Coordinates of all heavy atoms in Angstrom, one line a residue:
M49 N 234.8 165.6 7.9 CA 234.3 164.9 6.7 C 233.1 165.7 6.2 O 232.1 166.0 6.9 CB 233.9 163.5 7.0 CG 233.4 162.7 5.9 SD 234.0 161.0 6.1 CE 234.8 160.8 4.5
G50 N 233.1 166.1 5.0 CA 232.1 166.9 4.4 C 230.9 166.0 3.9 O 231.0 164.8 3.8
F51 N 229.8 166.7 3.6 CA 228.6 166.1 3.1 C 228.8 165.7 1.6 O 229.1 166.6 0.8 CB 227.4 167.0 3.3 CG 226.1 166.4 2.8 CD1 225.5 165.4 3.4 CD2 225.5 166.9 1.6 CE1 224.3 164.8 3.0 CE2 224.4 166.4 1.1 CZ 223.7 165.3 1.8
V52 N 228.5 164.5 1.3 CA 228.7 164.0 -0.1 C 227.3 163.7 -0.6 O 226.6 162.8 -0.1 CB 229.6 162.8 -0.2 CG1 229.7 162.3 -1.6 CG2 231.0 163.1 0.4
K53 N 226.9 164.3 -1.7 CA 225.6 164.1 -2.3 C 225.7 162.8 -3.2 O 226.6 162.7 -4.0 CB 225.2 165.3 -3.2 CG 223.9 165.2 -3.8 CD 223.5 166.4 -4.6 CE 222.1 166.2 -5.2 NZ 221.8 167.3 -6.1
V54 N 224.8 161.9 -2.9 CA 224.8 160.7 -3.7 C 223.9 161.0 -4.9 O 222.7 161.3 -4.8 CB 224.2 159.5 -2.9 CG1 224.1 158.3 -3.7 CG2 225.0 159.3 -1.7
T55 N 224.5 160.9 -6.1 CA 223.8 161.1 -7.3 C 223.6 159.7 -8.0 O 224.5 158.9 -8.1 CB 224.5 162.0 -8.3 OG1 225.8 161.5 -8.6 CG2 224.6 163.4 -7.7
K56 N 222.4 159.5 -8.5 CA 222.1 158.3 -9.2 C 222.6 158.4 -10.7 O 222.4 159.5 -11.3 CB 220.6 158.0 -9.2 CG 220.2 157.7 -7.8 CD 218.7 157.3 -7.7 CE 218.4 156.8 -6.4 NZ 217.6 157.6 -5.5
S57 N 223.1 157.4 -11.2 CA 223.7 157.4 -12.5 C 222.6 157.3 -13.6 O 221.5 157.0 -13.3 CB 224.7 156.3 -12.7 OG 224.1 155.0 -12.6
K58 N 223.0 157.5 -14.8 CA 222.1 157.4 -15.9 C 221.6 155.9 -16.1 O 220.5 155.6 -16.5 CB 222.8 157.8 -17.2 CG 221.9 158.1 -18.4 CD 222.7 158.7 -19.5 CE 221.8 159.0 -20.6 NZ 222.5 159.7 -21.7
A59 N 222.5 155.0 -15.7 CA 222.1 153.5 -15.8 C 221.0 153.2 -14.9 O 220.2 152.4 -15.2 CB 223.3 152.7 -15.5
Y60 N 221.0 153.9 -13.7 CA 219.9 153.6 -12.7 C 218.5 154.0 -13.3 O 217.6 153.3 -13.3 CB 220.1 154.4 -11.4 CG 218.9 154.4 -10.5 CD1 218.7 153.3 -9.7 CD2 218.0 155.4 -10.5 CE1 217.6 153.3 -8.8 CE2 217.0 155.4 -9.6 CZ 216.8 154.3 -8.8 OH 215.7 154.3 -8.0
F61 N 218.5 155.2 -13.9 CA 217.2 155.6 -14.5 C 216.8 154.9 -15.8 O 215.6 154.8 -16.1 CB 217.3 157.2 -14.8 CG 217.3 157.9 -13.5 CD1 218.5 158.6 -13.1 CD2 216.2 158.0 -12.7 CE1 218.5 159.3 -11.9 CE2 216.2 158.8 -11.5 CZ 217.4 159.4 -11.1
K62 N 217.8 154.3 -16.5 CA 217.4 153.5 -17.6 C 216.7 152.2 -17.2 O 215.8 151.7 -17.9 CB 218.7 153.1 -18.4 CG 219.2 154.2 -19.3 CD 220.4 153.7 -20.1 CE 220.9 154.7 -21.1 NZ 222.0 154.2 -21.9
R63 N 217.1 151.7 -16.1 CA 216.6 150.4 -15.7 C 215.4 150.5 -14.7 O 214.7 149.5 -14.4 CB 217.6 149.6 -14.9 CG 218.8 149.2 -15.9 CD 219.8 148.3 -15.2 NE 219.2 147.1 -14.6 CZ 218.9 146.0 -15.2 NH1 219.1 145.9 -16.5 NH2 218.3 145.0 -14.5
Y64 N 215.0 151.7 -14.3 CA 213.9 151.9 -13.4 C 212.6 151.7 -14.1 O 212.4 152.2 -15.2 CB 214.0 153.4 -12.8 CG 212.9 153.7 -11.8 CD1 212.9 153.1 -10.5 CD2 211.8 154.4 -12.2 CE1 211.9 153.4 -9.6 CE2 210.7 154.6 -11.3 CZ 210.8 154.1 -10.0 OH 209.8 154.4 -9.1
Q65 N 211.7 150.9 -13.4 CA 210.4 150.6 -14.0 C 209.4 151.3 -13.1 O 209.3 151.0 -11.9 CB 210.2 149.1 -14.1 CG 208.9 148.8 -14.8 CD 208.8 147.3 -14.9 OE1 209.6 146.5 -14.5 NE2 207.7 146.9 -15.6
V66 N 208.5 152.0 -13.7 CA 207.5 152.7 -13.0 C 206.4 151.7 -12.6 O 206.0 150.9 -13.5 CB 206.9 153.9 -13.9 CG1 205.8 154.6 -13.2 CG2 208.0 154.8 -14.3
P67 N 205.8 151.8 -11.4 CA 204.8 150.9 -11.0 C 203.5 151.2 -11.8 O 203.3 152.2 -12.5 CB 204.5 151.2 -9.5 CG 205.7 151.9 -9.1 CD 206.3 152.6 -10.3
F68 N 202.6 150.2 -11.8 CA 201.3 150.4 -12.5 C 200.6 151.6 -12.0 O 200.8 152.0 -10.9 CB 200.4 149.2 -12.3 CG 200.9 147.9 -12.9 CD1 200.7 146.7 -12.3 CD2 201.4 147.9 -14.2 CE1 201.2 145.5 -12.9 CE2 201.9 146.8 -14.8 CZ 201.7 145.6 -14.1
R69 N 199.8 152.2 -12.8 CA 199.1 153.4 -12.5 C 198.2 153.3 -11.3 O 198.2 154.1 -10.4 CB 198.2 153.9 -13.7 CG 197.5 155.2 -13.4 CD 196.6 155.6 -14.6 NE 195.7 154.6 -15.0 CZ 194.5 154.4 -14.5 NH1 194.1 155.2 -13.5 NH2 193.7 153.5 -14.9
R70 N 197.4 152.2 -11.2 CA 196.5 152.1 -10.1 C 197.3 151.8 -8.8 O 196.9 152.0 -7.7 CB 195.5 151.0 -10.3 CG 194.5 151.4 -11.4 CD 193.4 150.4 -11.6 NE 192.6 150.2 -10.4 CZ 191.5 150.9 -10.1 NH1 191.2 151.9 -10.9 NH2 190.9 150.7 -9.0
R71 N 198.5 151.2 -8.9 CA 199.4 151.0 -7.7 C 199.9 152.4 -7.3 O 200.0 152.6 -6.1 CB 200.5 150.1 -8.1 CG 201.6 149.9 -7.0 CD 201.0 149.3 -5.8 NE 201.9 149.3 -4.7 CZ 201.9 150.2 -3.7 NH1 200.9 151.1 -3.7 NH2 202.7 150.2 -2.7
R72 N 200.3 153.2 -8.2 CA 200.8 154.5 -7.9 C 199.7 155.4 -7.2 O 200.0 156.1 -6.3 CB 201.3 155.3 -9.1 CG 202.6 154.7 -9.7 CD 203.1 155.7 -10.8 NE 202.2 156.2 -11.7 CZ 202.0 155.7 -13.0 NH1 202.7 154.7 -13.4 NH2 201.1 156.3 -13.8
E73 N 198.5 155.2 -7.6 CA 197.4 156.0 -7.1 C 196.9 155.4 -5.7 O 196.2 156.0 -5.0 CB 196.2 156.0 -8.0 CG 196.5 156.8 -9.3 CD 195.4 156.6 -10.3 OE1 194.4 155.8 -10.1 OE2 195.4 157.3 -11.4
G74 N 197.4 154.2 -5.4 CA 197.0 153.5 -4.1 C 195.6 152.9 -4.2 O 195.0 152.7 -3.1
K75 N 195.1 152.6 -5.4 CA 193.8 152.1 -5.5 C 193.7 150.6 -5.5 O 192.8 150.0 -5.0 CB 193.1 152.6 -6.8 CG 192.8 154.0 -6.8 CD 192.1 154.4 -8.1 CE 191.7 155.9 -8.0 NZ 191.0 156.3 -9.3
T76 N 194.8 149.9 -6.0 CA 194.8 148.5 -6.2 C 196.0 147.8 -5.5 O 197.1 148.3 -5.7 CB 194.8 148.1 -7.7 OG1 193.7 148.7 -8.3 CG2 194.7 146.6 -7.9
D77 N 195.7 146.8 -4.7 CA 196.8 146.0 -4.1 C 196.8 144.7 -5.0 O 195.9 143.8 -4.9 CB 196.4 145.6 -2.7 CG 197.5 144.8 -2.0 OD1 198.5 144.5 -2.7 OD2 197.3 144.3 -0.9
Y78 N 197.8 144.6 -5.9 CA 197.8 143.6 -6.9 C 198.1 142.2 -6.3 O 197.7 141.2 -6.8 CB 198.8 143.9 -8.0 CG 198.2 144.9 -9.0 CD1 198.6 146.2 -8.9 CD2 197.3 144.6 -9.9 CE1 198.1 147.2 -9.7 CE2 196.8 145.5 -10.8 CZ 197.2 146.8 -10.7 OH 196.6 147.8 -11.5
R79 N 198.8 142.1 -5.2 CA 199.0 140.8 -4.5 C 197.7 140.3 -4.0 O 197.4 139.1 -4.2 CB 200.0 141.0 -3.4 CG 200.4 139.7 -2.7 CD 201.4 139.9 -1.6 NE 202.6 140.5 -2.1 CZ 203.4 141.3 -1.4 NH1 203.1 141.5 -0.1 NH2 204.5 141.8 -1.9
A80 N 196.9 141.1 -3.3 CA 195.6 140.7 -2.8 C 194.6 140.4 -4.0 O 193.9 139.4 -3.9 CB 195.0 141.7 -1.9
R81 N 194.7 141.2 -5.0 CA 193.8 140.9 -6.2 C 194.1 139.6 -6.8 O 193.2 138.9 -7.2 CB 194.0 142.1 -7.2 CG 193.1 141.9 -8.4 CD 193.2 143.0 -9.4 NE 192.7 142.7 -10.6 CZ 191.4 142.6 -10.9 NH1 190.5 142.8 -9.9 NH2 191.0 142.3 -12.1
R82 N 195.4 139.2 -6.9 CA 195.7 137.9 -7.5 C 195.2 136.8 -6.7 O 194.7 135.8 -7.3 CB 197.3 137.8 -7.7 CG 197.7 136.6 -8.4 CD 199.2 136.5 -8.6 NE 199.8 136.3 -7.4 CZ 200.8 137.1 -6.9 NH1 201.2 138.2 -7.6 NH2 201.4 136.9 -5.7
I83 N 195.2 136.9 -5.4 CA 194.7 135.8 -4.5 C 193.2 135.7 -4.7 O 192.6 134.6 -4.7 CB 195.1 136.1 -3.1 CG1 196.6 135.9 -3.0 CG2 194.4 135.2 -2.1 CD1 197.2 136.4 -1.7
L84 N 192.5 136.9 -4.8 CA 191.0 136.9 -4.9 C 190.5 136.4 -6.2 O 189.5 135.8 -6.3 CB 190.5 138.3 -4.7 CG 190.4 138.8 -3.3 CD1 190.1 140.3 -3.3 CD2 189.4 138.1 -2.5
T85 N 191.3 136.6 -7.3 CA 190.7 136.3 -8.6 C 191.2 135.0 -9.2 O 190.6 134.5 -10.2 CB 191.1 137.4 -9.6 OG1 192.5 137.6 -9.6 CG2 190.4 138.7 -9.2
T86 N 192.3 134.4 -8.8 CA 192.8 133.2 -9.4 C 191.9 132.0 -9.0 O 191.7 131.8 -7.8 CB 194.3 132.9 -9.1 OG1 194.4 132.9 -7.7 CG2 195.1 133.9 -9.7
Q87 N 191.5 131.2 -9.9 CA 190.7 130.0 -9.7 C 191.6 128.8 -9.7 O 192.6 128.8 -10.3 CB 189.6 129.9 -10.8 CG 188.7 128.8 -10.7 CD 187.8 128.9 -9.5 OE1 188.2 128.6 -8.4 NE2 186.5 129.2 -9.7
N88 N 191.2 127.7 -9.0 CA 191.9 126.5 -9.0 C 192.0 125.9 -10.4 O 191.0 126.1 -11.2 CB 191.2 125.5 -8.0 CG 191.3 125.9 -6.6 OD1 192.2 126.7 -6.2 ND2 190.4 125.4 -5.8
K89 N 193.0 125.2 -10.7 CA 193.2 124.6 -12.0 C 192.2 123.5 -12.3 O 192.0 123.3 -13.5 CB 194.7 124.1 -12.2 CG 195.7 125.2 -12.1 CD 195.5 126.2 -13.2 CE 196.6 127.3 -13.1 NZ 196.4 128.4 -13.9
N90 N 191.7 122.8 -11.3 CA 190.8 121.7 -11.6 C 189.4 122.2 -11.8 O 188.4 121.5 -12.1 CB 190.8 120.7 -10.5 CG 190.3 121.3 -9.2 OD1 190.1 122.5 -9.1 ND2 190.3 120.5 -8.1
K91 N 189.1 123.6 -11.9 CA 187.8 124.1 -12.1 C 187.5 124.3 -13.6 O 186.4 124.6 -14.0 CB 187.6 125.5 -11.4 CG 187.8 125.4 -9.9 CD 186.7 124.6 -9.3 CE 186.8 124.7 -7.8 NZ 185.9 124.0 -7.0
H92 N 188.5 124.2 -14.4 CA 188.4 124.2 -15.9 C 187.7 125.4 -16.4 O 186.6 125.3 -16.9 CB 187.7 122.9 -16.4 CG 188.5 121.7 -16.0 ND1 189.7 121.4 -16.5 CD2 188.2 120.7 -15.2 CE1 190.1 120.2 -16.0 NE2 189.2 119.8 -15.2
N93 N 188.3 126.6 -16.2 CA 187.9 127.8 -16.8 C 186.5 128.3 -16.3 O 185.8 129.1 -17.0 CB 187.8 127.7 -18.4 CG 188.0 129.1 -19.0 OD1 188.5 130.0 -18.4 ND2 187.7 129.1 -20.3
E94 N 186.2 127.9 -15.1 CA 185.0 128.5 -14.4 C 185.3 129.8 -13.8 O 186.4 130.0 -13.3 CB 184.5 127.5 -13.3 CG 183.8 126.3 -13.8 CD 182.4 126.6 -14.4 OE1 181.7 127.4 -13.9 OE2 182.1 126.1 -15.5
P95 N 184.4 130.8 -13.9 CA 184.7 132.1 -13.3 C 184.6 132.0 -11.8 O 183.8 131.2 -11.2 CB 183.6 133.0 -13.8 CG 182.5 132.1 -14.3 CD 183.2 130.8 -14.7
K96 N 185.5 132.7 -11.1 CA 185.4 132.8 -9.6 C 184.7 134.1 -9.2 O 185.2 135.2 -9.4 CB 186.9 132.8 -9.1 CG 186.9 132.7 -7.6 CD 188.3 132.6 -7.1 CE 188.4 132.4 -5.6 NZ 189.8 132.3 -5.1
Y97 N 183.5 133.9 -8.7 CA 182.7 135.1 -8.3 C 183.2 135.6 -7.0 O 183.6 134.9 -6.1 CB 181.2 134.6 -8.2 CG 180.7 134.1 -9.5 CD1 180.5 132.7 -9.7 CD2 180.5 134.9 -10.6 CE1 180.0 132.2 -10.9 CE2 180.0 134.4 -11.8 CZ 179.8 133.1 -11.9 OH 179.3 132.6 -13.1
R98 N 183.0 137.0 -6.9 CA 183.3 137.6 -5.6 C 182.3 138.7 -5.4 O 181.7 139.3 -6.3 CB 184.7 138.2 -5.6 CG 185.0 139.3 -6.5 CD 186.5 139.6 -6.5 NE 186.7 140.8 -7.2 CZ 186.9 141.0 -8.5 NH1 186.8 139.9 -9.2 NH2 187.1 142.2 -9.0
L99 N 182.0 139.0 -4.1 CA 181.1 140.1 -3.7 C 181.9 141.3 -3.4 O 182.9 141.3 -2.6 CB 180.3 139.6 -2.4 CG 179.3 140.6 -1.9 CD1 178.2 140.8 -2.8 CD2 178.8 140.2 -0.5
I100 N 181.5 142.4 -4.0 CA 182.2 143.7 -3.8 C 181.2 144.6 -3.1 O 180.1 144.8 -3.6 CB 182.6 144.3 -5.2 CG1 183.6 143.3 -5.9 CG2 183.3 145.6 -5.0 CD1 183.7 143.7 -7.3
V101 N 181.6 145.2 -2.0 CA 180.8 146.2 -1.3 C 181.5 147.5 -1.3 O 182.6 147.6 -0.8 CB 180.5 145.7 0.2 CG1 179.6 146.6 0.9 CG2 179.9 144.3 0.1
R102 N 180.8 148.5 -1.7 CA 181.3 149.9 -1.7 C 180.4 150.8 -0.9 O 179.2 150.7 -1.0 CB 181.4 150.4 -3.1 CG 182.4 149.7 -4.0 CD 182.6 150.4 -5.3 NE 183.7 149.8 -6.1 CZ 183.6 148.9 -7.0 NH1 182.4 148.5 -7.4 NH2 184.6 148.4 -7.6
F103 N 181.1 151.6 -0.1 CA 180.3 152.5 0.8 C 180.5 154.0 0.3 O 181.7 154.4 0.1 CB 180.8 152.5 2.2 CG 180.6 151.1 2.9 CD1 181.7 150.2 2.9 CD2 179.4 150.8 3.4 CE1 181.5 149.0 3.5 CE2 179.2 149.5 4.0 CZ 180.3 148.6 4.0
T104 N 179.4 154.7 0.1 CA 179.5 156.1 -0.2 C 179.1 156.8 1.0 O 178.8 156.2 2.1 CB 178.6 156.4 -1.4 OG1 177.2 156.2 -1.1 CG2 178.9 155.6 -2.7
N105 N 179.0 158.1 0.9 CA 178.5 158.9 2.1 C 177.1 158.6 2.5 O 176.7 158.7 3.6 CB 178.7 160.4 1.9 CG 180.2 160.8 1.9 OD1 181.0 160.1 2.5 ND2 180.5 161.9 1.2
K106 N 176.2 158.3 1.5 CA 174.8 158.1 1.7 C 174.4 156.6 1.5 O 173.4 156.2 2.2 CB 174.0 159.0 0.8 CG 173.9 160.4 1.2 CD 173.1 161.2 0.2 CE 171.6 160.9 0.4 NZ 170.8 161.8 -0.4
Y107 N 175.0 155.9 0.6 CA 174.5 154.6 0.2 C 175.5 153.5 0.3 O 176.7 153.8 0.5 CB 174.0 154.7 -1.3 CG 172.9 155.7 -1.5 CD1 173.2 156.8 -2.3 CD2 171.7 155.6 -0.9 CE1 172.2 157.8 -2.5 CE2 170.7 156.5 -1.1 CZ 171.0 157.6 -1.9 OH 170.0 158.5 -2.1
V108 N 175.0 152.3 0.1 CA 175.9 151.1 0.1 C 175.6 150.4 -1.3 O 174.4 150.3 -1.6 CB 175.6 150.1 1.2 CG1 176.5 148.9 1.1 CG2 175.8 150.8 2.6
I109 N 176.7 150.1 -2.0 CA 176.5 149.4 -3.3 C 177.1 148.0 -3.2 O 178.3 147.9 -2.8 CB 177.2 150.2 -4.4 CG1 176.6 151.6 -4.4 CG2 177.1 149.5 -5.7 CD1 177.5 152.6 -5.3
C110 N 176.4 147.0 -3.6 CA 176.9 145.6 -3.6 C 176.9 145.1 -5.0 O 175.9 145.3 -5.7 CB 176.0 144.7 -2.7 SG 176.0 145.2 -1.0
Q111 N 178.0 144.4 -5.4 CA 178.1 143.9 -6.7 C 178.7 142.5 -6.7 O 179.5 142.2 -5.8 CB 179.1 144.8 -7.6 CG 178.7 146.2 -7.7 CD 179.7 147.0 -8.4 OE1 180.9 146.8 -8.3 NE2 179.3 148.0 -9.2
I112 N 178.2 141.7 -7.6 CA 178.8 140.3 -7.8 C 179.6 140.4 -9.1 O 179.0 140.8 -10.1 CB 177.7 139.3 -7.8 CG1 177.1 139.2 -6.4 CG2 178.4 137.9 -8.1 CD1 176.0 138.2 -6.3
A113 N 180.9 140.0 -9.1 CA 181.7 140.2 -10.2 C 182.6 139.0 -10.4 O 182.8 138.2 -9.4 CB 182.6 141.4 -10.1
Y114 N 183.2 138.8 -11.6 CA 184.3 137.9 -11.8 C 185.3 138.5 -12.8 O 184.9 139.5 -13.5 CB 183.8 136.5 -12.3 CG 183.2 136.6 -13.7 CD1 183.9 136.3 -14.8 CD2 181.8 136.9 -13.9 CE1 183.3 136.4 -16.1 CE2 181.2 136.9 -15.1 CZ 182.0 136.7 -16.2 OH 181.5 136.7 -17.5
S115 N 186.5 138.0 -12.8 CA 187.5 138.7 -13.6 C 187.8 137.9 -14.9 O 187.7 136.6 -14.9 CB 188.8 138.9 -12.8 OG 189.3 137.6 -12.5
T116 N 188.1 138.6 -15.9 CA 188.6 138.0 -17.2 C 189.9 138.7 -17.5 O 190.3 139.7 -16.8 CB 187.6 138.2 -18.3 OG1 187.4 139.6 -18.5 CG2 186.3 137.6 -18.0
I117 N 190.6 138.3 -18.6 CA 191.8 138.9 -19.0 C 191.6 140.3 -19.5 O 192.4 141.2 -19.2 CB 192.5 138.0 -20.1 CG1 192.9 136.7 -19.4 CG2 193.7 138.8 -20.7 CD1 193.5 135.7 -20.4
I118 N 190.4 140.5 -20.1 CA 190.1 141.9 -20.6 C 189.8 142.8 -19.5 O 190.2 144.0 -19.5 CB 188.9 141.8 -21.6 CG1 189.3 140.9 -22.8 CG2 188.5 143.1 -22.1 CD1 188.1 140.5 -23.7
G119 N 189.1 142.3 -18.5 CA 188.7 143.2 -17.4 C 187.6 142.5 -16.5 O 187.2 141.4 -16.9
D120 N 187.3 143.1 -15.4 CA 186.2 142.5 -14.6 C 184.9 142.7 -15.2 O 184.5 143.7 -15.8 CB 186.3 143.2 -13.2 CG 187.5 142.8 -12.4 OD1 188.3 142.0 -12.9 OD2 187.7 143.4 -11.3
K121 N 184.0 141.7 -15.0 CA 182.6 141.7 -15.5 C 181.7 141.7 -14.2 O 181.8 140.9 -13.3 CB 182.3 140.4 -16.3 CG 183.2 140.2 -17.5 CD 182.9 141.3 -18.5 CE 183.8 141.0 -19.8 NZ 183.7 142.0 -20.7
I122 N 180.8 142.7 -14.2 CA 179.8 142.8 -13.2 C 178.6 142.0 -13.6 O 178.0 142.3 -14.7 CB 179.5 144.3 -12.9 CG1 180.8 145.1 -12.6 CG2 178.5 144.4 -11.7 CD1 181.5 144.6 -11.4
I123 N 178.1 141.1 -12.8 CA 176.9 140.3 -13.2 C 175.7 141.0 -12.7 O 174.7 141.2 -13.5 CB 177.0 138.9 -12.5 CG1 178.2 138.2 -13.1 CG2 175.7 138.1 -12.7 CD1 178.5 136.9 -12.4
C124 N 175.6 141.4 -11.4 CA 174.5 142.1 -10.9 C 174.9 143.1 -9.8 O 176.0 142.9 -9.2 CB 173.4 141.2 -10.4 SG 173.9 140.2 -9.0
E125 N 174.1 144.1 -9.5 CA 174.4 145.0 -8.4 C 173.1 145.4 -7.8 O 172.1 145.4 -8.4 CB 175.2 146.2 -8.9 CG 174.5 147.1 -9.9 CD 175.4 148.3 -10.3 OE1 176.5 148.4 -9.8 OE2 174.9 149.1 -11.1
A126 N 173.3 145.8 -6.5 CA 172.1 146.3 -5.8 C 172.6 147.6 -5.0 O 173.7 147.6 -4.4 CB 171.6 145.3 -4.8
H127 N 171.7 148.6 -5.0 CA 172.0 149.8 -4.2 C 171.0 149.9 -3.0 O 169.9 149.4 -3.1 CB 171.7 151.0 -5.1 CG 172.6 151.1 -6.3 ND1 173.8 151.9 -6.3 CD2 172.6 150.5 -7.5 CE1 174.4 151.8 -7.4 NE2 173.7 150.9 -8.2
S128 N 171.5 150.5 -2.0 CA 170.7 150.6 -0.8 C 169.5 151.6 -1.0 O 168.5 151.5 -0.4 CB 171.5 151.1 0.4 OG 172.1 152.4 0.2
R129 N 169.6 152.5 -2.0 CA 168.5 153.4 -2.3 C 167.3 152.6 -2.9 O 166.2 153.2 -2.9 CB 169.0 154.5 -3.2 CG 169.4 154.2 -4.5 CD 169.7 155.4 -5.4 NE 170.3 155.1 -6.6 CZ 171.5 155.2 -6.9 NH1 172.4 155.6 -6.1 NH2 172.0 154.8 -8.1
E130 N 167.6 151.4 -3.4 CA 166.5 150.6 -4.0 C 165.6 150.1 -2.8 O 164.4 149.7 -3.1 CB 167.0 149.4 -4.8 CG 167.7 149.8 -6.0 CD 168.4 148.7 -6.7 OE1 168.4 147.6 -6.1 OE2 168.9 148.8 -7.8
L131 N 166.0 150.1 -1.6 CA 165.2 149.5 -0.5 C 164.0 150.4 -0.2 O 163.0 149.9 0.3 CB 166.1 149.4 0.7 CG 167.2 148.4 0.6 CD1 168.1 148.4 1.9 CD2 166.7 147.0 0.4
I132 N 164.1 151.7 -0.5 CA 163.0 152.6 -0.3 C 161.8 152.1 -1.2 O 160.6 152.2 -0.7 CB 163.4 154.0 -0.7 CG1 164.5 154.5 0.2 CG2 162.2 155.0 -0.6 CD1 165.2 155.8 -0.2
R133 N 162.1 151.6 -2.3 CA 161.0 151.1 -3.2 C 160.2 149.9 -2.6 O 159.1 149.7 -2.9 CB 161.7 150.7 -4.5 CG 160.7 150.4 -5.7 CD 161.5 150.0 -6.9 NE 162.6 150.8 -7.2 CZ 163.7 150.4 -8.0 NH1 163.6 149.2 -8.5 NH2 164.7 151.1 -8.2
Y134 N 160.9 149.2 -1.7 CA 160.3 148.0 -1.1 C 159.7 148.3 0.3 O 159.4 147.4 1.0 CB 161.3 146.9 -1.1 CG 161.7 146.5 -2.5 CD1 163.0 146.8 -2.9 CD2 160.9 145.8 -3.3 CE1 163.4 146.5 -4.2 CE2 161.3 145.5 -4.6 CZ 162.6 145.8 -5.0 OH 163.0 145.5 -6.3
G135 N 159.7 149.6 0.7 CA 159.1 149.9 1.9 C 160.0 150.0 3.1 O 159.6 150.2 4.2
F136 N 161.3 149.9 2.9 CA 162.3 150.0 4.0 C 162.7 151.4 4.2 O 163.4 152.0 3.3 CB 163.5 149.1 3.7 CG 164.4 149.0 4.8 CD1 164.2 148.1 5.9 CD2 165.6 149.7 4.8 CE1 165.1 148.0 6.9 CE2 166.5 149.6 5.8 CZ 166.3 148.7 6.9
K137 N 162.3 152.1 5.3 CA 162.5 153.5 5.4 C 163.5 153.8 6.5 O 163.8 155.0 6.8 CB 161.2 154.2 5.7 CG 160.2 154.0 4.6 CD 159.3 155.2 4.5 CE 158.2 154.9 3.5 NZ 158.6 155.2 2.1
N138 N 164.1 152.8 7.2 CA 165.0 153.1 8.3 C 166.3 153.5 7.8 O 166.9 152.9 6.9 CB 165.1 151.8 9.2 CG 163.8 151.5 9.9 OD1 162.8 152.1 9.7 ND2 163.9 150.4 10.6
G139 N 166.9 154.5 8.4 CA 168.3 154.9 8.1 C 168.4 155.8 6.9 O 169.5 156.1 6.5
F140 N 167.3 156.3 6.3 CA 167.4 157.1 5.2 C 167.0 158.5 5.5 O 166.1 158.8 6.2 CB 166.6 156.6 4.0 CG 167.1 155.3 3.5 CD1 166.3 154.1 3.8 CD2 168.2 155.2 2.8 CE1 166.8 152.9 3.3 CE2 168.7 153.9 2.4 CZ 168.0 152.8 2.6

């Protein structure tokens, strides 16, 4: 029995839907994002706040954000490099 190459038909490529760009890049897990951002229905359009922590090679960035249909809104943020201003010199 010889090797048979399976070719996908034109109908397959017509119906194929490309994933979201951030999903293709591996940056966003949309299932986890939906759980984090959806608010209970009895809250009546109140934003659901979340704490975002990002680590760089030198610093730590903390943000408080909530999501809207247009995009996420950042309320405030703090950088670890600001701690030097307040006299904290450990770890820098």
